[in-house]
Structures are given as C-alpha cells and as structure tokens.
Amino acid sequence: MPHASAPAPSTGSVPAPYAVCFVCTGNICRSPMAASVFRTLVRDAGLDGLVVVDSAGTDGWHEGDPADPRTDAVLKSAGYETGHAARQFRADWFAGRDLVLALDQGHQRTLRRLAPTPADADKVRLLRSYDPDAGDLDVPDPYYGDADGFVECLTMVEAASEGLLDAVRDAVEGRAA
C-alpha cells in the first residue's frame, strides 16, 4: 500500500491532518513497522482523518521494494496490517510533515542535516523518546539478525507508540482549539 508523499494543504477552517513520518535507513524494517503500529493506534483512537502516517528511509537502496518478509511476519502475527513500498525521505517533505520520527540517533542526525530550515529540524524526534521506560533511545536495526530482532523491534515500537499517540492527540486537539 503506497503512501502519499504529503497530506493535502488545509482549506478553509478545516485544518490539514497532522502528518507523522517514521524514518529508518532503508524503509523496509523499522519504519514500516512503526508506521503500521501507529496507524492502528490512530484508527483505534478515532483519529482517522485527523492524523496521517507514512514512512521512509534515509537512503534509497530499497525504493519500491516491499517490507522485509520478517517485518511482515512479525506484524501479521501481532495483528497489524502489512503492505508497503519503500521510499527515500526528501528534504521537501518537511513542509508536509508535522513530526518526523527517527528510529535511531544516526537517522536523527541525517534528517536534521537534511532539514531546509531550523523549524524543520525541530520536527525531528527519536521515536523511543516517547517511551518513559526506554534507556537507550535507538531502536536497533534487526536486518542482519534473526526473527527475534524483529520481535524486539516491535516491542520497542509498541512501547513508544502509546506515548507518541498521547503527544499527537494533544497536538491535534490544540489545532482544533
């Protein structure tokens, strides 16, 4: 399921949806997993239409490829939707995103360097910063490991996504006020 590159601009009194993009290296493991989990939370919270979720990679090695089969297997086994085509994050996408969530500190540095303005750089956050119990804020890349690494990745993503949902809900409600 390909994702739109940016939400439609706001027209009239209806604000544009709050746009969240998850970013990892190749956009085939961590970021599509995080997007699927968060999309489910958004839907379950009744925020469909108010929040849009997508994902990308800092690099374009896998553009057009589906998610890693191990990502899909872990998502399916946990009851999440799958269906994804990898793509690379572009600097001009900052204009259409409210929040850009890096899966590790390397991604965070890359995205902040890519940001056209300081305000765009401020949109970049680490996903695990939304998990109050997280020690290390990086979600390790499971690509070169076995299936257990993908399960661990999902556990970290789910733990951070609850806090992220609270922050996004507050931002959406703030827009409506």
Side-chain angles (χ1 to χ4, degrees), residues 15-75:
Y18 191 88
V20 177
C21 185
F22 295 90
V23 181
C24 68
T25 307
N27 193 218
I28 60 168
C29 297
R30 294 171 284 178
S31 58
M33 184 182 292
S36 180
V37 168
F38 197 64
R39 217 177 270 117
T40 298
L41 290 177
V42 164
R43 183 195 65 226
D44 292 351
L47 296 173
D48 264 354
L50 298 174
V51 178
V52 294
V53 179
D54 66 352
S55 69
T58 56
D59 298 302
W61 305 317
H62 298 286
E63 277 193 286
D65 292 348
D68 185 291
R70 296 167 294 177
T71 297
D72 281 346
V74 166
L75 287 170

Side-chain angles (χ1 to χ4, degrees), residues 38-176:
F38 197 64
R39 217 177 270 117
T40 298
L41 290 177
V42 164
R43 183 195 65 226
D44 292 351
L47 296 173
D48 264 354
L50 298 174
V51 178
V52 294
V53 179
D54 66 352
S55 69
T58 56
D59 298 302
W61 305 317
H62 298 286
E63 277 193 286
D65 292 348
D68 185 291
R70 296 167 294 177
T71 297
D72 281 346
V74 166
L75 287 170
K76 284 178 187 173
S77 128
Y80 295 106
E81 292 179 8
T82 60
H84 171 75
R87 60 210 187 118
Q88 184 176 6
F89 192 90
R90 313 254 187 254
D92 62 343
W93 291 8
F94 277 103
R97 303 300 184 291
D98 296 289
L99 190 57
V100 179
L101 294 154
L103 276 286
D104 69 31
Q105 293 173 58
H107 305 133
Q108 182 182 40
R109 284 188 300 275
T110 299
L111 289 163
R112 287 187 172 163
R113 281 192 306 265
L114 183 65
T117 69
D120 288 327
D122 287 344
K123 294 177 181 181
V124 180
R125 301 274 187 274
L126 286 166
L127 173 60
R128 289 200 74 202
S129 69
Y130 293 91
D131 178 357
D133 297 324
D136 182 357
L137 296 183
D138 287 351
V139 176
D141 188 350
Y143 185 77
Y144 294 103
D146 60 20
D148 289 344
F150 287 81
V151 173
E152 177 186 16
C153 180
L154 179 62
T155 299
M156 291 177 179
V157 164
E158 288 175 328
S161 292
E162 292 293 336
L164 174 61
L165 181 65
D166 291 340
V168 168
R169 182 184 293 116
D170 290 347
V172 167
E173 289 171 359
R175 282 184 171 183

